[in-house]
Amino acid sequence: MIKIGFTYDLRSAYLAMGYSELETAEFDRESTIDAIESTLNQLGYETDRIGHIKQLVERLQNGDRWDIVFNICEGMYGIAREAQVPALLEAYNIPCVFSSPLVMALTLDKGMTKRVIRDAGIATPEFFVVTKQDDINKVDLPFPLFVKPVAEGTGKGISEKSIVQNKTELASVCRDLLKAYKQPVLVETFLSGREFTVGITGTGEKATAVGCMEIVLKEHAEKGVYSYVNKEECEDLIEYVITTGDDKQKCEKLALEAYRILNCEDGGRVDIRYSHEGNPSFLEINPLPGLHPEHSDLPILCTLNGIAYPELMKMIMDSAIQKVRQKK
Ligand SMILES: Nc1ncnc2c1ncn2[C@@H]1O[C@H](COP(=O)(O)OP(=O)(O)O)[C@@H](O)[C@H]1O
Ligand SMILES: [Mg+2]
């Protein structure tokens, strides 16, 4: 029987260590860990809970080994934080579910990712990376613009204020974000059209889209953006609508191109938004998609498209297991 090690950042474990709600916003709840583990068991895999990276270090030091590790650690420090567990496992020649350390580190940096995406000829909003206060007046793009931290997730640092209409607003939001997140700020053309997210499973030529859904903001939601607040209270503020026809075809094509160019493995999600004229653009890619069965976007969009949670997990594992076979 294939033995899967399971690494994750449990939110409550970090809260207990004294980290804040915001610092741990991307971390997982016990219910996500339970759902993943019991589904892997249902699929016939033996699982071994490891926990966060420091617990993994101890276990490796003790001589413990696994056929493959199912890793969902988001990491705490640095731009390569999502790459840390995959890189550590690589050093021990232990295969890991999801993308390589290179992909994990690159895609957390939305600016660097957009350079690769743009080079491949895939549509993405024009942008400028503001690294320090002095850079703010170098931004030479037409308003309205969208301003966000270059390397966060889960809507961190994103609110109605992210949409800026003039130089004064731009300067004020950039300054606040530089200070609060201690990292560069990505300034992009604001896309005012409809928003979609596409789920993908598999690797390379075998990657396929598992579905597309539209993010529709309800009346009481924060306006114009799928923000931190709208994400945290998605049950009340967001309506997720299945996408069909031409929109589905356009979005899935763009998402698959981006996924393949970036060499993502096993599964992920691509965020897309339409321009005012209705042309789709790449916003960002998530090679470590949230996997809470009811709260996370990938499982939600799969459910809407008739793919139950165990089926999604099976598609991810069927792709990942090739890495164990290749090694043997
Ligand atoms: N250039 C943009 N134009 C319009 N909306 C944007 C733009 N960039 C981000 N957004 C909005 O902000 C949300 C979060 O941005 P995203 O880059 O996906 O960050 P996160 O990693 O937090 O999900 C998007 O889902 C979208 O609603
Ligand atoms: Mg996103």
Side-chain angles (χ1 to χ4, degrees):
M1 199 194 233
I2 286 182
K3 189 171 164 197
I4 302 185
F6 186 17
T7 49
Y8 47 82
D9 284 322
L10 187 59
R11 195 169 186 179
S12 55
Y14 281 84
L15 289 171
M17 288 189 269
Y19 291 100
S20 72
E21 291 283 333
L22 193 63
E23 281 172 312
T24 60
E26 287 191 280
F27 292 176
D28 284 294
R29 330 168 183 186
E30 192 74 49
S31 56
T32 308
I33 314 297
D34 290 343
I36 293 171
E37 184 172 43
S38 63
T39 308
L40 289 173
N41 297 150
Q42 255 181 57
L43 294 173
Y45 296 107
E46 185 189 338
T47 49
D48 178 9
R49 285 191 184 211
I50 300 167
H52 55 66
I53 190 164
K54 291 182 180 168
Q55 293 169 309
L56 173 62
V57 168
E58 269 177 38
R59 297 285 301 271
L60 287 167
Q61 195 61 33
N62 284 342
D64 293 349
R65 298 292 183 267
W66 309 269
D67 296 308
I68 187 165
V69 169
F70 197 100
N71 168 54
I72 58 165
C73 287
E74 304 272 352
M76 179 58 89
Y77 299 114
I79 206 102
R81 58 191 181 270
E82 288 185 3
Q84 288 161 355
V85 166
L88 183 56
L89 291 166
E90 198 168 72
Y92 283 79
N93 201 18
I94 299 173
C96 184
V97 182
F98 297 116
S99 300
S100 69
L102 171 66
V103 174
M104 294 299 187
L106 173 69
T107 57
L108 199 68
D109 187 319
K110 291 172 186 172
M112 294 296 268
T113 305
K114 281 165 65 72
R115 294 186 200 283
V116 176
I117 287 292
R118 187 176 59 183
D119 179 82
I122 297 169
T124 191
E126 294 250 15
F127 67 103
F128 186 87
V129 179
V130 170
T131 309
K132 51 186 188 311
Q133 282 217 26
D134 290 352
D135 294 342
I136 300 175
N137 55 22
K138 293 185 196 147
V139 178
D140 185 22
L141 296 166
F143 290 96
L145 292 170
F146 196 89
V147 187
K148 61 188 173 188
V150 79
E152 292 295 338
T154 324
K156 282 167 86 172
I158 296 177
S159 70
E160 283 172 337
K161 281 194 192 154
S162 309
I163 307 166
V164 300
Q165 304 290 347
N166 53 53
K167 285 197 163 175
T168 316
E169 285 178 16
L170 173 68
S172 139
V173 177
C174 283
R175 271 199 301 270
D176 288 352
L177 289 179
L178 284 171
K179 194 162 167 231
Y181 291 91
K182 300 188 173 42
Q183 60 179 277
V185 167
L186 180 63
V187 179
E188 286 185 308
T189 302
F190 173 62
L191 300 175
S192 60
R194 296 161 70 192
E195 178 165 352
F196 303 87
T197 190
V198 176
I200 294 175
T201 60
T203 302
E205 283 301 306
K206 288 195 182 139
T208 50
V210 288
C212 178
M213 72 178 180
E214 183 168 357
I215 315 295
V216 180
L217 306 180
K218 291 190 189 169
E219 201 185 330
H220 300 294
E222 255 194 303
K223 302 269 176 287
V225 40
Y226 191 24
S227 62
Y228 182 76
V229 173
N230 288 343
K231 286 182 191 216
E232 285 283 295
E233 293 167 35
C234 62
E235 279 84 359
D236 294 328
L237 301 178
I238 304 291
E239 192 183 345
Y240 297 109
V241 182
I242 187 168
T243 311
T244 57
D246 197 32
D247 294 314
K248 175 182 167 75
Q249 208 233 327
K250 278 198 287 195
C251 290
E252 290 185 352
K253 180 170 177 284
L254 184 137
L256 257 183
E257 274 172 15
Y259 186 93
R260 287 192 175 131
I261 278 294
L262 293 166
N263 285 337
C264 292
E265 295 171 35
D266 306 329
R269 238 191 53 240
V270 180
D271 293 344
I272 291 170
R273 196 156 177 179
Y274 281 2
S275 63
H276 179 64
E277 298 78 27
N279 298 316
S281 270
F282 171 97
L283 287 185
E284 62 139 359
I285 190 159
N286 301 280
L288 211 54
L291 287 174
H292 187 280
E294 288 98 32
H295 193 78
S296 299
D297 288 350
L298 179 61
I300 294 174
L301 80 85
C302 283
T303 307
L304 286 176
N305 285 277
I307 297 168
Y309 189 70
E311 222 179 310
L312 165 65
M313 291 288 289
K314 182 173 186 308
M315 291 193 274
I316 293 170
M317 281 311 301
D318 285 351
S319 171
I321 220 69
Q322 301 300 327
K323 299 178 220 187
V324 181
R325 300 221 173 98
Q326 276 157 14
K327 211 189 120 192
K328 278 186 175 156

